[in-house]
Amino acid sequence: MNLSEAKDFPVNTASLKEVRVFSRETFEKINLSQELKDELVLAIAEAAQNIVKHGYKGVEETTDRMEIKISLNDSQLEIGFYDKGKPVVPGNVQHRKLDDIKPGGLGTFFIKQIMDGAVFKKDQEGWVNHLVLTKKI
Amino acid sequence: MTYKVTEEGNISTVFLNGEIDMDVTEKAKEVILPIVESGKEVHLNLKDVSYMDSSGISVLIESHQKALEKNTKVIVKEVSKSVLKVIMMAKLEQILNLE
């Protein structure tokens, strides 16, 4: 099955619910277990949250938007995130150690647990960051 | 997210409802942390929480750690299957008081 759905959202915390709605509606079109759908929605929501939380850290309000594109080619799922926030230095994107129990630092860990790959690409035009999450489903 | 708080003796039960994400974590903390800081035992009932992300997990951790500081405890009760999965993904099922 092939599918490609994209939507853009204002960069703010209130958009996170809309991101989940978009993701759920898209995954409804694919024959996946509910458990996997829930995991994928969590991974997407965490990546979107990272844009709001880290990409726009210190920015009170912005008119910028972020775009999320969900593509399925046969069994290869690819989820792209485009934003105009601070440039991400991939080497700095790390989750906290799990035995260091404290609030925060788990979003990236969840993404890595759920997805097969997470790569920042430099192929975007008109955007600052392009994160690509992949998973064979 | 909506919530309800009931009191019985030294135990406050906070019933959370809806989806817990970064957009509502401050609100959740404003409800839970003052009760913990008062020294009461807090029961967090999550049976009507259908979704929780890493921000929600942070609220659980912060509440748990604040309770330890205050020599009381936060018990997380009636966790839905989907939320339990996220707690387990974070390997917190042995850290948090789950019932």
Side-chain angles (χ1 to χ4, degrees), chain A residues 67-127:
Chain A
E67 184 175 308
I68 300 174
K69 183 178 179 183
I70 302 175
S71 307
L72 180 67
N73 286 302
D74 294 326
S75 58
Q76 187 64 30
L77 181 69
E78 184 174 300
I79 306 161
F81 299 81
Y82 302 84
D83 72 78
K84 296 177 180 175
K86 295 169 186 162
V88 173
V89 179
N92 292 345
V93 181
Q94 292 176 346
H95 60 80
R96 70 161 166 79
K97 291 179 181 171
L98 279 192
D99 55 2
D100 180 18
I101 308 292
K102 62 182 179 185
L106 284 173
T108 301
F109 174 76
F110 288 166
I111 292 169
K112 288 185 175 175
Q113 287 285 105
I114 294 164
M115 306 303 296
D116 296 335
V119 177
F120 283 94
K121 292 194 171 178
K122 288 290 176 192
D123 58 352
Q124 70 280 3
E125 277 187 24
W127 299 95

Side-chain angles (χ1 to χ4, degrees), chain B residues 3-90:
Chain B
Y3 69 93
K4 181 179 78 176
V5 182
T6 62
E7 309 274 347
E8 192 174 337
N10 194 42
I11 297 172
S12 293
T13 301
V14 180
F15 295 84
L16 298 178
N17 190 314
E19 300 193 325
I20 314 291
D21 66 8
M22 185 184 172
D23 196 39
V24 301
T25 48
E26 284 308 310
K27 184 178 173 186
K29 284 197 276 188
E30 283 170 14
V31 174
I32 300 164
L33 294 182
I35 304 173
V36 176
E37 281 172 2
S38 73
K40 283 192 166 185
E41 181 174 317
V42 174
H43 293 183
L44 274 182
N45 189 302
L46 303 185
K47 73 180 169 66
D48 293 320
V49 174
S50 55
Y51 171 88
M52 182 177 284
D53 66 9
S54 62
S55 297
I57 295 294
S58 291
V59 175
L60 298 184
I61 294 172
E62 194 169 343
S63 304
H64 174 75
Q65 292 183 330
K66 181 65 73 180
L68 292 178
E69 279 175 35
K70 295 290 177 182
N71 290 317
T72 183
K73 58 185 172 183
V74 171
I75 299 175
V76 184
K77 305 188 90 159
E78 296 193 66
V79 186
S80 63
K81 190 179 168 189
S82 57
V83 173
L84 180 61
K85 187 164 184 194
V86 180
I87 290 172
M88 293 179 75
M89 201 183 295

